[in-house]
Amino acid sequence: WASDFMGLYKAPQACLLIVVVTAIWSRFLAMFVPATLPYARTAEAAKVKMVYAPWNISVYLYMFILAALVFMTFLLLFPYKMNGLLLWFTTPVLMLVVLYSLMKKNIGGYTGDCCGATVLLCELSMHITMAALAYYHITF
């Protein structure tokens, strides 16, 4: 087990694992937008003429368990000691906080486009953070 990310480019299985975990974590974070903000449009003004009802607690519990299992699997399978793991997982949380505050301030809620942008920007922030960790061989 290496102490940093040196040689990450030589481990395709690690890169695949990063892509999978990034996709799942970003979608897990994005689910908090419709869970905590109201829909910004009325049913008549919505593109699909429908406003979604909030999920029940069992759906949130299922999503949390899935995210926890993915996180634990990542810890077990990732071939490097990843001391930057906390940074990698908190960067998209910070992105979510920024996007959430922008949605709440500017439109008073969310739209489907806001949810999609949240997923993509959280995912992108994770990829950029991982690239920086790998490039600079950062260990915390």
Side-chain angles (χ1 to χ4, degrees):
W1 296 77
S3 62
D4 59 25
F5 299 98
M6 197 150 84
L8 184 60
Y9 60 92
K10 293 181 182 178
Q13 70 277 10
C15 293
L16 179 64
L17 189 59
I18 288 168
V19 169
V20 170
V21 169
T22 298
I24 293 172
W25 184 245
S26 63
R27 282 153 181 81
F28 172 73
L29 291 175
M31 79 173 192
F32 289 103
V33 172
T36 57
L37 281 176
Y39 194 71
R41 299 178 180 159
T42 63
E44 295 79 30
K47 288 181 187 175
V48 293
K49 306 295 184 223
M50 182 176 159
V51 175
Y52 295 100
W55 294 341
N56 61 26
I57 192 70
S58 63
V59 174
Y60 293 113
L61 184 61
Y62 169 76
M63 293 295 287
F64 177 77
I65 291 169
L66 179 64
L69 287 173
V70 167
F71 178 72
M72 296 306 290
T73 303
F74 179 79
L75 290 177
L76 293 172
L77 296 178
F78 194 68
Y80 301 98
K81 178 182 172 203
M82 188 171 173
N83 293 327
L85 184 65
L86 184 62
L87 179 64
W88 188 52
F89 275 93
T90 56
T91 302
V93 174
L94 297 174
M95 177 64 72
L96 175 68
V97 169
V98 169
L99 294 171
Y100 184 92
S101 63
L102 285 171
M103 284 180 250
K104 191 172 183 178
K105 178 183 174 191
N106 293 327
I107 62 173
Y110 76 94
T111 64
D113 292 337
C114 292
C115 289
T118 300
V119 170
L120 293 174
L121 291 171
C122 286
E123 197 168 340
L124 181 62
S125 70
M126 287 186 81
H127 287 305
I128 290 171
T129 302
M130 180 56 76
L133 290 169
Y135 182 78
Y136 291 108
H137 309 298
I138 296 174
T139 56
F140 293 99

